Amino acid sequence: MPSDWQINLQGAATPVMEYIHWFHDWLNVIIFIISLFVLGLLIYVAWKFNEKANPVPSKTTHHALLEVAWTVIPVLILVVIAIPSFRLLKLQLEIPQADLTVKVTGKQWYWSYEYPQDGGAAFGFDSLMLDEKQRAEAISSNKIAAAEAPRLLAVDNEAVVPVGKIVRIQVTGADVIHKFTVPSFGIKIDAIPGRLNETWFKAEREGIYYGQCSFICGQNHAFMPIAFRVVSAERYAAWLAESKQKFANAGDATNKVAASAQ
Ligand SMILES: [Cu+2]
């Protein structure tokens, strides 16, 4: 999640986000060099060709070599940017063979998660932000650790996934357009009614990762956080067994009632 005085991107937890970090740094290097070069040229020109130092201006209108250079060099710089950029796009868009699939539906104003199981019972649940009262209650009753209940990000039902596994995420919207974003996973994808979008991630470290809706979707757009808990294979299996019981009616509104009554 974001931290105080943060100026960089959020930490990377997946190969895609690691690539985004590297690409961001690489672009910064290029931007820095070009800016310094242009600054140097400006200072040089102001010093060398001002009216006092150079009272009779040159009448030159063309310089073939210079024109070739300032065309070819920027093209080369763009190629150097484009190659890793297309590699990153390919990494994001080519979804590898998935170990599990989670379907996410954006709603006004919360997210629903469905875990379709091959051959087994599917289950689903709604994930709503804890308001300040619920958050205080959850912390005081030791249901959730204070450090893991950040304001405006903690939810009642976290989505749980196993560490080191490829998770395919299918995203849609139930009412208006939302956007499913988890910065540390490097995923940001539109949740559009009537359309199923796909992305993926492979979380490499256990922990809890937060995101937020990133497409203005109405009054409570700022209050529909995303929380993924990445756990070991054993803990995931235990959570799966428990959740099949707990959320027997896949992703319907009864869960919402049950969740808000907790
Ligand atoms: Cu929104």
Side-chain angles (χ1 to χ4, degrees):
M1 63 171 163
S3 57
D4 291 343
W5 299 101
Q6 177 187 333
I7 56 164
N8 217 324
L9 303 170
Q10 286 185 34
T14 65
V16 169
M17 192 56 190
E18 274 159 23
Y19 201 126
I20 292 173
H21 270 250
W22 175 84
F23 190 44
H24 168 266
D25 294 347
W26 174 231
L27 287 181
N28 258 341
V29 168
I30 293 173
I31 291 167
F32 196 73
I33 292 170
I34 291 173
S35 302
L36 276 185
F37 177 66
V38 171
L39 179 69
L41 284 182
L42 281 173
I43 291 170
Y44 176 73
V45 165
W47 167 72
K48 182 96 196 268
F49 298 107
N50 67 59
E51 202 185 359
K52 242 188 265 166
N54 189 46
V56 187
S58 152
K59 297 261 179 353
T60 311
T61 57
H62 286 86
H63 190 296
L65 186 68
L66 198 57
E67 299 212 13
V68 169
W70 74 39
T71 306
V72 171
I73 293 171
V75 165
L76 292 177
I77 293 172
L78 289 179
V79 168
V80 161
I81 292 173
I83 290 171
S85 176
F86 280 106
R87 273 208 191 120
L88 176 57
L89 270 180
K90 192 169 177 287
L91 185 64
Q92 287 179 314
L93 295 178
E94 275 188 1
I95 299 171
Q97 181 66 40
D99 296 307
L100 70 143
T101 301
V102 179
K103 186 184 170 197
V104 185
T105 307
K107 297 173 183 170
Q108 285 176 316
W109 288 273
Y110 59 97
W111 297 95
S112 292
Y113 297 87
E114 282 168 69
Y115 282 67
Q117 303 292 308
D118 290 332
F123 67 91
F125 53 87
D126 297 333
S127 182
L128 283 86
M129 190 189 81
L130 296 178
D131 64 28
E132 285 307 276
K133 195 166 146 261
Q134 292 166 325
R135 204 164 69 92
E137 275 170 15
I139 293 170
S140 64
S141 64
N142 283 328
K143 228 183 260 171
I144 190 162
E148 290 188 348
R151 181 175 167 270
L152 303 183
L153 290 176
V155 298
D156 53 1
N157 295 313
E158 294 155 353
V160 177
V161 291
V163 69
K165 292 275 194 265
I166 290 166
V167 182
R168 176 172 50 198
I169 298 285
Q170 296 184 325
V171 182
T172 189
D175 33 44
V176 298
I177 302 177
H178 303 268
K179 194 181 207 115
F180 189 75
T181 306
V182 185
S184 285
F185 292 172
I187 60 177
K188 174 175 269 188
I189 189 157
D190 288 350
I192 303 171
R195 188 187 158 93
L196 197 65
N197 279 340
E198 272 194 334
T199 187
W200 72 283
F201 65 83
K202 187 177 92 177
E204 288 171 325
R205 278 179 291 119
E206 291 182 29
I208 179 138
Y209 300 90
Y210 296 102
Q212 288 176 303
C213 181
S214 303
F215 200 117
I216 189 97
C217 59
Q219 188 190 355
N220 289 337
H221 162 65
F223 309 109
M224 47 183 296
I226 296 152
F228 268 104
R229 189 174 287 277
V230 178
V231 299
S232 66
E234 299 80 59
R235 274 189 66 192
Y236 176 69
W239 177 84
L240 213 54
E242 186 197 321
S243 299
K244 271 180 198 163
Q245 305 290 322
K246 192 170 158 195
F247 306 116
N249 303 314
D252 62 27
T254 58
N255 292 322
K256 193 184 165 193
V257 176
S260 58
Q262 272 176 9

